[in-house]
Amino acid sequence: MATGTLTAERILEVTEEVLRRYGPAKATVVDVARALGVSHGSVYRHFRTKAALREAVTHRWLGRTEQALEELTAAPGPAPGKLHDWLATLFEAKRHKAGDDPELFATYNVLIDESSGVVDQHVTVLEDQVRRILEEGVSAGEFAAPDPAASARAVFAATARFHDPSYAPTWESETAEEEFEQVVGLLLRGLRP
Amino acid sequence: MATGTLTAERILEVTEEVLRRYGPAKATVVDVARALGVSHGSVYRHFRTKAALREAVTHRWLGRTEQALEELTAAPGPAPGKLHDWLATLFEAKRHKAGDDPELFATYNVLIDESSGVVDQHVTVLEDQVRRILEEGVSAGEFAAPDPAASARAVFAATARFHDPSYAPTWESETAEEEFEQVVGLLLRGLRP
DNA sequence: GGAATGACAGATATTGAAATCTGTCATCCG
DNA sequence: CGGATGACAGATTTCAATATCTGTCATTCC
């Protein structure tokens, strides 16, 4: 079935499929090897441990969200509106993933709990995007932020309710959207010069 | 050992002890009855189910925090400082419980996960205290909040990072205190008239 | 008569033996 | 010779038998 050489990339693709099919509890390295048509020893040539393989899958998954938000970050436009949209996009992306395919979302949440290092890196990337938006706003006189990096962490922390997966069960509620706007409104007011 | 009549209050006290000793997974109604020196049927006279007993324990535990914060809420003084102190006290109380006796804290977190209704009520009580502080500030011209109840929910949501037990592992970090001040500072700025 | 008991049925948890998986490595193949 | 293999040891998971627990209720006790 597998075409050509066995690459790390191909293993990651198949691992995603196996995780989707069997779930995080039952997906084994042997399953991945079987789906690839190779021995499990070959998988271990590319990933030192099962944990490393799962972390790589998680990294890929989180990277996709980072990429979508990076485009927003780099786009032109006033910083306050951009920050609002950046947060709204993050919220909407997470809410969509959670509501659309709850099982797959649950699977990735298990992976995320396992891979704290990968998540820390993800958070750092996102906070850095927020920091860049804040700095842009400070330059344009739209924001006051003596320490943009610290403010970025604060903004990210204050909106955890809307992007941290542990709150996913509440994201479908009718009031979630309104509460999001309230929090973001408060933060944008707090950032005014 | 037990003195006099069997009361709901006495059962709750002993249940707390049993939970502390055995943990949430192993503490049984039979254990509670044994510690009380009665048959387990007698416990069921006061609490319809094991879940109801655990919820009552949770309610009592959360009520103690509500009470401490209520005193702060009712005290005189400028609203901005009071809101800051209220949030700082909540943070400190949680952090202290988590750091002081991690096992007991973990036990109560298990109970909390089971008792969503009780927790919702607790959150409502705390948000109401925040709302009263906000209204006080609006009256004194210290805050601008067209809808104090909505702003109270926003303030509570934005500080989840510092009172939601799922974040407890990060509360000991050196930067937690600083991040708390950043978030609260941003919120207080956002509430200014 | 109101509170407590303990035997009971069905549900849940524990246990230990068997099966499977993870990670290594000597060997094989192109 | 670099990459793939599959047998292997120790760790983990599964499964089914056994034990315990939950919640009820007819009976006992004060």
Side-chain angles (χ1 to χ4, degrees), chain A:
Chain A
M1 257 322 128
T3 346
T5 329
L6 182 64
T7 64
E9 185 63 19
R10 176 103 189 91
I11 293 174
L12 289 177
E13 283 168 17
V14 170
T15 303
E16 277 200 26
E17 280 171 34
V18 169
L19 280 166
R20 172 186 274 276
R21 188 180 311 274
Y22 297 126
K26 295 230 183 130
T28 71
V29 176
V30 171
D31 290 329
V32 172
R34 188 163 30 233
L36 282 161
V38 301
S39 76
H40 75 279
S42 299
V43 174
Y44 278 97
R45 171 166 301 284
H46 294 267
F47 297 95
R48 264 210 308 272
T49 65
K50 181 190 187 184
L53 173 57
R54 288 177 163 232
E55 286 197 357
V57 170
T58 309
H59 182 68
R60 244 167 73 108
W61 191 66
L62 296 176
R64 290 200 273 269
T65 298
E66 289 170 13
Q67 209 173 334
L69 290 168
E70 172 60 34
E71 285 169 28
L72 252 179
T73 305
K82 189 188 283 190
L83 181 55
H84 175 280
D85 293 349
W86 189 95
L87 291 167
T89 302
L90 178 57
F91 182 25
E92 178 52 26
K94 298 271 182 153
R95 187 168 48 171
H96 187 263
K97 276 176 188 163
D100 201 47
D101 191 341
E103 283 195 39
L104 188 60
F105 188 72
T107 291
Y108 276 108
N109 284 339
V110 170
L111 296 191
I112 278 170
D113 282 344
E114 293 170 2
S115 327
S116 57
V118 171
V119 173
D120 287 350
Q121 194 193 327
H122 175 64
V123 169
T124 301
V125 168
L126 293 188
E127 283 176 353
D128 198 64
Q129 292 185 6
V130 173
R131 182 192 50 88
R132 283 156 55 203
I133 295 174
L134 292 184
E135 282 177 349
E136 193 187 322
V138 170
S139 296
E142 296 159 330
F143 284 150
D147 183 346
S151 293
R153 284 192 296 273
V155 166
F156 197 74
T159 51
R161 171 78 181 68
F162 310 104
H163 60 249
D164 191 310
S166 61
Y167 293 101
T170 72
W171 291 343
E172 298 295 340
S173 132
E174 307 156 352
T175 59
E177 188 73 33
E178 188 199 324
E179 195 174 293
F180 170 80
E181 294 298 341
Q182 282 284 338
V183 169
V184 174
L186 210 47
L187 294 174
L188 287 174
R189 285 174 61 90
L191 286 166
R192 285 175 314 176

Side-chain angles (χ1 to χ4, degrees), chain B residues 29 40 44 50:
Chain B
V29 176
H40 74 280
Y44 279 97
K50 181 189 187 183

